[in-house]
Amino acid sequence: MSEIVKIVEVGPLSGLHHEQQKLTAEQKVQLIRYLKNAGLQTIEAGAFAPAHVMLNLADSSYVVEGLSLFSEGLTLPVLVPNLQGYENAMAAGAEAVTIHLSATETFAQKHLNCSIEESLGRFLPVVEKAVANHIPVRARIACVAGCPYEGTVLSSQVVNLAEKLHKMGVGEISLEDTIGVANPAQIKRLLFDVTSSVPLSKIALHMHDTYGQGMANIYGGLEFGVRTFDSSIAGIGGCGFAKGAAGNVATEDLVYLLDGLGYASGVDLESLVRVSHYVADLLEINPRSKTAHVL
Amino acid sequence: MSEIVKIVEVGPLSGLHHEQQKLTAEQKVQLIRYLKNAGLQTIEAGAFAPAHVMLNLADSSYVVEGLSLFSEGLTLPVLVPNLQGYENAMAAGAEAVTIHLSATETFAQKHLNCSIEESLGRFLPVVEKAVANHIPVRARIACVAGCPYEGTVLSSQVVNLAEKLHKMGVGEISLEDTIGVANPAQIKRLLFDVTSSVPLSKIALHMHDTYGQGMANIYGGLEFGVRTFDSSIAGIGGCGFAKGAAGNVATEDLVYLLDGLGYASGVDLESLVRVSHYVADLLEINPRSKTAHVL
């Protein structure tokens, strides 16, 4: 039997957030339905954050309600920035949440509007409540390899934060190379250091393709033993830090790799490529996946 | 001291060959000069093949003559399809040659107009002469992982051909994933099999990015111990088998990986990105390198 790799589809959340063309709540629900039909089982679905430009509160409530119609067998984490967001998400029917932190102070200040320590304080009651109510929490740590403001990031900065999140009760910690500067050797060193205090089974990788290294970094992660990877349908989302630059690794290219290596992701590549073209058409872009251009 | 990795720049030959916009011989000479200034030391420079649409005989002679003005320290293999091409290349002043074969019969028949056995017969006198005259010969074997006509390719098909070429006296054998279907595990198995009869130091990898796997495959090759890689400035060349699909791995993205991993390629990434934009402008395309979009 093939070994299982879990894909966390982030297109409907982080992907759409960075695209110029906006989708309606109905279109988002439809997109998630198609992604599910292609075999994806974990999809970051929306955000309960007033400041989150694209997915405002009302919209995400609508998405979560729409999703309840077919969400059997799906895990649909929604981004919550604080306890209020968590309560709103729960009120709307969400059953899993994502929290977002940063490994560097400057990125935290500029993008999360607080210090790293403050964000931990802010998320502590969220995680405590979630754990008490059996709501899975995943944490994404931005800038694990490099920061647009501070440059190279030491793994000690990540280790410290990951350990605290793990002790809080966070179930999955996604290491995000937000600006795509990592190389596979760096990723392996980081994983080596982080897994000194967090079990490997709780670690996910969220690789960006800014310099074309996303797939090599994922392969490095697979070699190390990581079995959970974030990716974005059609590579949507781009890069928030350099116009025209690539962002998230495309889910199609990731599935192509996993199929080739013999891992079971549960995703059907041909169906997925159809979803890629569907969302690219809605957004009036070309799919940023190489695979989608061939199949 | 850093370990050295050799990059064989194939843009001026295979890259330009597949681009719609054609460059003049002078522009090609200028391009190669810029590539040299960025630190590249081995550049496939042209073809002495009447059938090679873009680089006809007269044009390649001009290129080789032009190059003689600044080729000190450069190795500039030119593609020769047979003994006549070899003689013409030598008459024009070429000092290194490339020959092209296929691991599958159908690809050989359709693209090299002969059987695999016939191509070996055709190249035997070329390699003999070259060896006698101390002219380095590199062989590129197409379709080492998959064939557009025959599907999956067994490594035994490649091993057999590589061994014969090695015994003939070919100095470098470049394993070409012409349609970009390989994954890193497959590349490692292929390398394991091929190096049973050919020293690893004589093996190069020529990876295409058709399904976004090029950089992961190169990383797999590096892990196995390969230290020579083909790539194309700005990723020019595209894919001859699917319109709009990606072709050669971009030299910029390869250099980014090698820099990150601490290998010495001798190439300056920033200079290289300038060359990437230069050639993309001439060809009226966007660089297909991710790195070139950021730097």
Side-chain angles (χ1 to χ4, degrees):
Chain A
M1 220 178 97
S2 301
E3 209 181 332
I4 289 170
V5 165
K6 174 173 133 190
I7 298 176
V8 179
E9 169 60 46
V10 301
L13 174 59
S14 318
L16 291 179
H17 179 57
H18 288 103
E19 293 293 334
Q20 221 164 12
Q21 188 77 28
K22 299 307 171 196
L23 302 193
T24 66
E26 274 157 332
Q27 286 172 322
K28 282 172 224 163
V29 171
Q30 187 65 281
L31 169 61
I32 292 170
R33 187 195 298 266
Y34 288 157
L35 289 166
K36 180 198 181 184
N37 291 346
L40 285 156
Q41 291 160 321
T42 308
I43 305 170
E44 288 195 343
F48 283 79
H52 208 266
V53 183
M54 201 236 10
L55 285 156
N56 60 38
L57 183 60
D59 196 9
S60 275
S61 295
Y62 186 94
V63 169
V64 172
E65 270 175 51
L67 295 172
S68 66
L69 302 173
F70 64 91
S71 64
E72 184 78 16
L74 271 184
T75 303
L76 299 165
V78 294
L79 185 72
V80 298
N82 50 35
L83 191 58
Q84 183 61 56
Y86 175 82
E87 302 289 6
N88 292 337
M90 291 303 111
E95 294 174 345
V97 296
T98 294
I99 59 178
H100 207 188
L101 299 96
S102 164
T104 69
E105 278 300 340
T106 319
F107 193 92
Q109 294 288 356
K110 283 189 191 264
H111 296 272
L112 309 168
N113 304 309
C114 61
S115 70
I116 296 172
E117 209 48 46
E118 282 165 352
S119 70
L120 281 167
R122 193 185 284 178
F123 286 128
L124 182 61
V126 173
V127 178
E128 282 176 347
K129 274 216 160 178
V131 168
N133 294 305
H134 308 291
I135 297 292
V137 182
R138 78 187 314 251
R140 276 161 64 175
I141 304 180
C143 300
V144 297
C147 169
Y149 313 107
E150 299 185 16
T152 303
V153 172
L154 299 178
S155 65
S156 56
Q157 297 172 255
V158 184
V159 169
N160 190 29
L161 191 54
E163 186 174 6
K164 286 180 180 167
L165 291 166
H166 172 58
K167 284 189 178 158
M168 263 190 206
V170 169
E172 187 168 283
I173 297 170
S174 181
L175 306 175
E176 181 180 305
D177 180 16
T178 312
I179 54 171
V181 293
N183 63 65
Q186 188 181 4
I187 291 296
K188 286 180 185 175
R189 282 193 301 271
L190 176 64
L191 289 166
F192 181 82
D193 291 345
V194 168
T195 52
S196 66
S197 51
V198 181
L200 183 56
S201 61
K202 303 213 160 190
I203 300 296
L205 287 180
H206 181 117
M207 298 289 104
H208 277 215
D209 207 28
T210 324
Y211 296 86
Q213 312 300 316
M215 210 54 66
N217 289 337
I218 286 175
Y219 180 63
L222 279 167
E223 288 189 307
F224 192 89
V226 175
R227 293 296 177 264
T228 306
F229 297 92
D230 299 1
S231 62
S232 173
I233 183 73
I236 61 173
C239 170
F241 304 96
K243 207 167 168 278
N248 287 296
V249 161
T251 309
E252 304 94 288
D253 295 352
L254 172 58
V255 171
Y256 189 94
L257 176 70
L258 296 175
D259 283 356
L261 295 173
Y263 292 103
S265 68
V267 179
D268 177 65
L269 186 55
E270 291 199 17
S271 308
L272 191 69
V273 166
R274 283 196 291 276
V275 185
S276 172
H277 287 288
Y278 165 80
V279 69
D281 286 350
L282 283 181
L283 295 171
E284 298 170 16
I285 60 167
N286 278 316
R288 298 189 190 105
S289 141
K290 309 259 175 168
T291 303
H293 284 279
V294 192
L295 292 183
Chain B
M1 217 175 103
S2 300
E3 209 180 334
I4 289 169
V5 166
K6 175 173 132 188
I7 298 177
V8 179
E9 169 60 46
V10 302
L13 174 59
S14 318
L16 291 178
H17 180 57
H18 289 102
E19 292 294 333
Q20 223 166 10
Q21 188 77 28
K22 299 308 173 196
L23 302 193
T24 65
E26 274 157 333
Q27 287 172 322
K28 282 171 223 160
V29 172
Q30 187 63 279
L31 169 61
I32 293 170
R33 187 197 297 267
Y34 288 156
L35 290 166
K36 180 198 181 185
N37 291 345
L40 286 155
Q41 290 161 320
T42 308
I43 305 170
E44 288 195 342
F48 283 79
H52 207 268
V53 183
M54 200 239 7
L55 284 158
N56 60 37
L57 182 61
D59 196 9
S60 275
S61 294
Y62 185 95
V63 170
V64 172
E65 270 175 52
L67 295 173
S68 67
L69 302 173
F70 64 90
S71 63
E72 185 77 15
L74 272 185
T75 303
L76 299 165
V78 294
L79 184 73
V80 299
N82 50 35
L83 192 57
Q84 183 62 55
Y86 175 82
E87 302 288 7
N88 292 338
M90 292 302 112
E95 294 175 344
V97 296
T98 293
I99 60 178
H100 207 189
L101 300 95
S102 165
T104 70
E105 278 301 341
T106 319
F107 192 93
Q109 294 287 356
K110 284 191 190 260
H111 296 271
L112 310 167
N113 304 309
C114 61
S115 69
I116 296 172
E117 208 49 45
E118 282 165 351
S119 71
L120 281 168
R122 194 185 280 178
F123 286 130
L124 181 61
V126 172
V127 178
E128 283 177 346
K129 272 215 160 178
V131 169
N133 293 305
H134 308 290
I135 296 291
V137 183
R138 78 185 315 249
R140 275 160 64 173
I141 303 181
C143 299
V144 298
C147 169
Y149 313 107
E150 300 185 16
T152 303
V153 173
L154 300 177
S155 66
S156 56
Q157 298 172 256
V158 184
V159 169
N160 190 27
L161 191 55
E163 185 173 7
K164 286 179 180 169
L165 290 167
H166 172 57
K167 283 187 178 159
M168 263 190 202
V170 169
E172 186 167 285
I173 298 171
S174 181
L175 305 176
E176 182 180 305
D177 181 16
T178 313
I179 54 171
V181 293
N183 63 64
Q186 188 181 5
I187 291 297
K188 287 180 185 175
R189 283 193 300 271
L190 176 64
L191 289 167
F192 182 83
D193 292 345
V194 168
T195 52
S196 64
S197 51
V198 181
L200 183 57
S201 61
K202 301 210 160 192
I203 300 294
L205 286 181
H206 181 118
M207 297 291 103
H208 278 216
D209 208 29
T210 323
Y211 295 86
Q213 311 300 317
M215 209 56 62
N217 289 336
I218 286 175
Y219 180 64
L222 279 168
E223 288 188 308
F224 192 88
V226 175
R227 292 296 178 263
T228 305
F229 297 91
D230 300 1
S231 63
S232 174
I233 183 75
I236 60 173
C239 170
F241 304 96
K243 205 163 170 277
N248 288 295
V249 161
T251 310
E252 304 92 289
D253 295 352
L254 172 58
V255 170
Y256 189 93
L257 176 70
L258 296 175
D259 283 355
L261 295 172
Y263 292 104
S265 68
V267 179
D268 177 66
L269 185 55
E270 291 200 16
S271 309
L272 191 69
V273 166
R274 282 195 291 274
V275 185
S276 172
H277 287 287
Y278 164 80
V279 70
D281 286 349
L282 283 181
L283 295 171
E284 297 170 18
I285 59 168
N286 278 318
R288 297 186 191 108
S289 143
K290 309 257 175 167
T291 303
H293 284 280
V294 192
L295 292 182

